[in-house]
Amino acid sequence: MDHLLNERLKQIEISGIRKFFNMVADEEDVISLTIGQPDFHTPEHIKQAATDALALNKTSYTHNAGILALRKAISAYNEEKNHLSYDPESEIIVTTGASQAIDITFRGILNSGDEVILPGPIYPGYAPLIALAGAKAVYADTTKDGFKLTKENLLRHITERTKCVVLPYPSNPTGASFTKEELEALVSVLQDKDIFILADEIYSELVYEMPHHSIATFDAVRDKTIVINGLSKSHSMTGFRIGYLLAPAWLAKELLKIHQYNVSCASSISQYAALEALTNGKNDPRVMLEAYNERREYVYERLISMGLTVNKPEGAFYFFPEFPMKEMSSFQLGLELVRKGKVALVPGSSFSTIGEGYMRLSYAYDINTIKKALDRLENFLQM
């Protein structure tokens, strides 16, 4: 009966990351640097808050947008950390992970035939949701611009059908991030156009030399910007599934309808854990950031010494080196790395065809694992 399924659904394939992971999962003695998940445990005080919430029977439905105390904490946290001002009662929705926030945003703003500009290479979670909404993903190649969407590149891809541009920075898979001046250039293009901006800032706490800048701080585009964030990366809470979106009140009111019928509300227990994270755990990300930075320096020096072309990440916890094996696809290279080198990286093609020729390396692993994996990678390149 598959002919009865939604035609848009049938055109979507499993994520290239997951497809590759499943193919090599049974290989023996392989060191993996594939997963984009913090290798730190959720801080104890956050886990205790979840335990306390269970003991106090805080297990019922919450307000559709999330408990007000959490929305107030999200507002205060973003004011302090990212200089963003959002009303907790009308401009914040707590979601089941950042992915659900992205989904309800696309379903709320896109109509059939609309176009969404994606700066590639890019995390593969956007295009399927765009397609399910009946719209089209339009990829802008950023490989010649440090993996950042520039004013000129943006202008080349805007058409009369453009409804939204996605700004996923700091970037998965490249680690690229924007300066304030780079954002100003994009604002100059978008401020007078009827185009939404989806700013996915899930890695905003994981930036290194320069501070994180959000395009939503620019008044000229605030009313058309949806900021996506969450606690998975900042507080190592991937399994709690708490994300949130920040949007102007007129838009948040509409998106809340989709959220309400989609999940009713995010997990009550997870919300109380998130409340603890954003109040008493505001500085928890610093410990992880220091460790990531040490790993980043080590990995960068090793990759350069191997003769690979690679940009030093400005945020997140990924490298996206270019590989010289042009006679094979990045997927084939990934399989060769696993079978001959006994090390797993994610093929660049998982992040759109623009990522062909690259591989993503996650350094969300302990330093000993990283060292062993890079030794194997170096041996493979010398074969």
Side-chain angles (χ1 to χ4, degrees), residues 257-273:
K257 297 176 189 177
I258 308 171
H259 173 70
Q260 172 190 347
Y261 290 115
N262 185 213
V263 298
S264 293
C265 63
S267 158
S268 60
I269 300 304
S270 293
Q271 287 191 57
Y272 284 103

Side-chain angles (χ1 to χ4, degrees), residues 108-119:
I109 67 174
L110 298 178
N111 290 303
S112 182
D114 287 341
E115 295 179 351
V116 180
I117 297 174
L118 301 179

Side-chain angles (χ1 to χ4, degrees), residues 32 200 366 382:
S32 174
D200 185 349
D366 68 87
Q382 293 174 351

Side-chain angles (χ1 to χ4, degrees), residues 270-286:
S270 293
Q271 287 191 57
Y272 284 103
L275 176 59
E276 173 68 16
L278 296 181
T279 51
N280 296 320
K282 288 191 295 184
N283 295 320
D284 287 347
R286 291 181 181 175

Side-chain angles (χ1 to χ4, degrees), residues 324-344:
M325 291 77 166
K326 301 301 183 183
E327 70 280 2
M328 64 177 74
S329 69
S330 59
F331 199 91
Q332 291 171 325
L333 174 58
L335 293 176
E336 287 290 293
L337 274 169
V338 167
R339 291 165 182 167
K340 295 182 179 179
K342 294 299 179 180
V343 61

